[in-house]
Amino acid sequence: MSDRGGKFAGQDPFVIARAWLAEAVDAEVNDPNAIALSTVDRDGLPNARMVLLKDIEDDAFVFYTNYGSAKANEIEQAGKAAFVIHWKSLRRQIRVRGIVSREEGAAADAYYASRSLKSRLGAWASQQSQPLSSRTALMAKVAQVTAAQGPSPARPPFWGGYRIHPLEMEFWADGAFRLHDRFRWRRDSTDGAWNIDRLNP
C-alpha cells in the first residue's frame, strides 16, 4: 500500500497497536488501555462494557475477568468477541474482531499476583454480574474472604484471562473535514496471512 506510512507504517498490526498504546499512555489522562468489549448472548442480543486491556502479545489481545461473569458466559457460548479502543486525545481508534481462548496458566497467575491485595481479595469476594443485596453484604464477604485467604491469596479458579486472536483489525485516525484514514488488516484464520486495505472514511 503505497500511501500507508507514518503512524500506519509496518506489516505487523500488533506492532502498530503496541506503538499506539505507548503513545496513549503518555497522552490519556485515565485508563489508556480501556476497551469497549462486545459480546452476544444466546439470543444474539449484543452486549458491551468497558474492561482494561492488560497485554498486547505477538498474536493476541489479553484481558482478565471472572469466569462466572456475563461477559465470560457470552464468550464461552460464542467463542468470539470484538472490541474498540478509542483515544480521544490522539484522535485514533483500533477495532478488533476475533476468536477467543482462555488464559489460565502462568501468565494469569503472574498478573493476579501483581494486583494489589485488596483487588486480589475482591476477586475472591465478588460473584461478578450476579444480584447483590447490598454493599454491606459485599463488604462482609470481603471480610470473610480476607480471614479465609490471608495476606497472599492464590488466584481463584474462577478468575483468569482471555485472549482475543484477531481475524480483523482496523486502525482509524482522524482526518480534516472528516476525511479520516482507515486501514483494515483481515485474514481468514488466526494463523493466516494478513490482507491490508485502505477503507473509505
Side-chain angles (χ1 to χ4, degrees):
M1 189 69 65
S2 60
D3 63 342
R4 185 171 55 81
K7 65 179 74 75
F8 295 99
Q11 296 301 309
D12 188 334
F14 297 99
V15 172
I16 299 171
R18 280 194 289 265
W20 283 26
L21 179 57
E23 289 185 60
V25 167
D26 293 330
E28 293 290 321
V29 176
N30 291 309
D31 296 330
N33 60 330
I35 62 175
L37 176 71
S38 296
T39 54
V40 294
D41 67 14
R42 292 185 183 278
D43 297 322
L45 188 65
N47 214 340
R49 77 289 283 161
M50 303 304 296
V51 301
L52 295 180
L53 181 68
K54 288 304 177 182
D55 196 13
I56 302 176
E57 298 179 337
D58 290 341
D59 64 348
F61 296 84
V62 185
F63 69 93
Y64 292 86
T65 191
N66 186 308
Y67 289 141
S69 66
K71 74 178 83 64
N73 289 332
E74 290 167 3
I75 285 170
E76 296 288 345
Q77 177 265 321
K80 305 179 182 79
F83 73 81
V84 61
I85 184 166
H86 175 250
W87 299 292
K88 188 174 183 179
S89 60
L90 296 178
R91 297 183 176 185
R92 296 182 204 169
Q93 71 179 24
I94 302 173
R95 297 171 59 218
V96 173
R97 299 197 299 162
I99 308 301
V100 185
S101 64
R102 279 197 187 195
E103 167 49 68
E104 298 180 283
D109 291 338
Y111 172 62
Y112 180 80
S114 75
R115 305 175 87 208
S116 71
L117 176 59
K118 288 185 178 180
S119 293
R120 283 179 281 157
L121 292 168
W124 273 100
S126 175
Q127 293 180 305
Q128 198 172 97
S129 302
Q130 299 305 309
L132 177 66
S133 61
S134 67
R135 184 163 185 85
T136 300
L138 176 62
M139 298 315 293
K141 180 66 173 178
V142 170
Q144 182 183 41
V145 164
T146 300
Q149 295 296 325
S152 185
R155 179 174 60 88
F158 51 81
W159 189 97
Y162 282 109
R163 285 189 175 91
I164 301 177
H165 304 271
L167 296 174
E168 186 175 309
M169 297 171 63
E170 181 190 315
F171 294 80
W172 176 100
D174 183 59
F177 309 109
R178 301 192 65 79
L179 298 178
H180 313 305
D181 288 309
R182 296 173 63 190
F183 290 93
R184 180 181 61 199
W185 274 250
R186 187 163 56 177
R187 58 188 178 179
D188 295 329
S189 64
T190 56
D191 59 356
W194 291 106
N195 294 306
I196 308 171
D197 295 305
R198 176 185 271 276
L199 303 179
N200 274 277

